[in-house]
Amino acid sequence: MTTATTSETIKSTVDDAEVERFSRMAADWWNPESKFKPLHKFNPIRLSYIKDKVSAHFGLDTRALDTFKGLRILDIGCGGGLLCEPMARLGAEIIGVDPSETNIKVAALHAKQGGLNIDYRATTAEALAADGERFDIVLNMEVVEHVADVPLFLSECAKMVKPGGLMFVATINRTMKAWGLAIFGAEYVLNWLPKGTHQYERLVRPEEIIGPLNAQGLQQIESTGVFYNLLKDSWQLSSDMSVNYMILAQRPETQK
């Protein structure tokens, strides 16, 4: 009875339609030529950014095979595990969370086939926070534009960052340039993504990320734009945050 009452008081940040959309594509998560091709192309730059910033923040040896050993990391909205598996190979204790049970099953099977020990859970940010989960690093990558309540989702994620810990957020800015490139161009002209993957009104501006994080005691360390270089066929960091961007925030050591 107590458990049921508690769960009913937790407001959900899950958008069921978005969960269903990605669940239908779950079998293709690890196919680099599938609908997830853009994420496979995006993975190297975000992995490099995460590794560099985490290593610098925690004073880790980037040359070590187990650079992230001893770190507890949450990948919220992990999908098929495209970020979880590299984190595990770097030695982290990684927890991958997604509200889609289908995604979690695909991720767990792929990890098992690769001999990786990853704690995958079909649950939500608010449920984890309510259970008192805490992490050295929270990865919040390409998720906020798909949730039902952005401020609440960010707030719940921020609660789980330990003192001295980090949160990474990556998403798409709500600008006309982003509409032209990330929605019209990517979905309707180049067919990089299924039509309807992103809706303009659900894109999130940087200040809409930073506000909820600050309210939970996190402080922005830096932000960077990310753009796709057609000539090099790769993603690169940029000072232009008008389309894709990443924000890095920390919880000060003095906070409890």
Side-chain angles (χ1 to χ4, degrees):
M1 181 66 69
T2 302
T3 302
T5 303
T6 301
S7 63
E8 290 171 1
T9 63
I10 301 175
K11 185 177 178 182
S12 176
T13 63
V14 174
D15 185 313
D16 292 333
E18 291 293 276
V19 172
E20 174 60 25
R21 183 199 306 275
F22 285 97
S23 294
R24 288 196 300 268
M25 300 187 290
D28 291 329
W29 271 108
W30 286 95
N31 180 358
E33 297 302 322
S34 71
K35 299 177 182 71
F36 294 107
K37 183 176 181 177
L39 269 182
H40 283 271
K41 283 189 171 292
F42 192 46
N43 231 19
I45 190 65
R46 62 181 185 172
L47 285 171
S48 175
Y49 184 77
I50 291 167
K51 186 176 182 181
D52 287 348
K53 298 305 174 181
V54 168
S55 299
H57 182 77
F58 290 101
L60 306 176
D61 182 2
T62 57
R63 298 166 297 180
L65 295 178
D66 58 351
T67 301
F68 287 178
K69 185 176 182 180
L71 294 178
R72 191 166 195 254
I73 300 178
L74 169 66
D75 182 12
I76 190 74
C78 65
L82 299 187
L83 275 176
C84 288
E85 293 202 7
M87 297 297 109
R89 289 191 175 95
L90 285 169
E93 176 191 349
I94 179 74
I95 293 84
V97 166
D98 199 286
S100 166
E101 292 188 8
T102 306
N103 285 343
I104 289 299
K105 288 178 181 177
V106 169
L109 176 60
H110 196 271
K112 183 178 180 180
Q113 291 170 341
L116 296 172
N117 182 24
I118 298 175
D119 182 357
Y120 282 117
R121 307 179 192 179
T123 186
T124 64
E126 52 270 25
L128 285 176
D131 287 341
E133 293 279 9
R134 296 295 181 268
F135 302 91
D136 299 294
I137 300 160
V138 173
L139 302 177
N140 198 325
M141 313 297 278
E142 293 76 46
V143 180
V144 294
E145 68 269 29
H146 300 293
V147 302
D149 188 327
V150 172
L152 177 61
F153 176 73
L154 289 168
S155 177
E156 295 302 299
C157 289
K159 290 176 183 176
M160 294 186 280
V161 179
K162 292 180 180 179
L166 300 174
M167 181 189 288
F168 292 81
V169 182
T171 190
I172 304 172
N173 207 339
R174 193 170 68 253
T175 64
M176 289 311 297
K177 184 176 179 180
W179 176 86
L181 294 177
I183 297 180
F184 183 73
E187 297 181 18
Y188 293 87
V189 177
L190 298 173
N191 293 314
W192 284 353
L193 296 165
K195 294 178 178 64
T197 298
H198 296 106
Q199 296 87 48
Y200 177 76
E201 65 276 8
R202 301 189 69 162
L203 303 183
V204 187
R205 292 174 176 155
E207 60 269 24
E208 295 167 345
I209 301 288
I210 297 166
L213 299 188
N214 286 347
Q216 287 296 333
L218 269 62
Q219 300 173 353
Q220 179 183 356
I221 298 176
E222 68 172 51
S223 57
T224 181
V226 192
F227 82 103
Y228 183 70
N229 188 322
L230 282 170
L231 295 178
K232 296 185 177 181
D233 189 28
S234 65
W235 288 87
Q236 299 177 6
L237 299 182
S238 167
S239 59
D240 182 0
M241 294 177 55
S242 61
V243 185
N244 294 82
Y245 67 93
M246 293 189 284
I247 288 175
L248 176 58
Q250 69 172 350
R251 183 177 300 283
E253 286 275 5
T254 55
Q255 287 188 16
K256 302 297 182 185

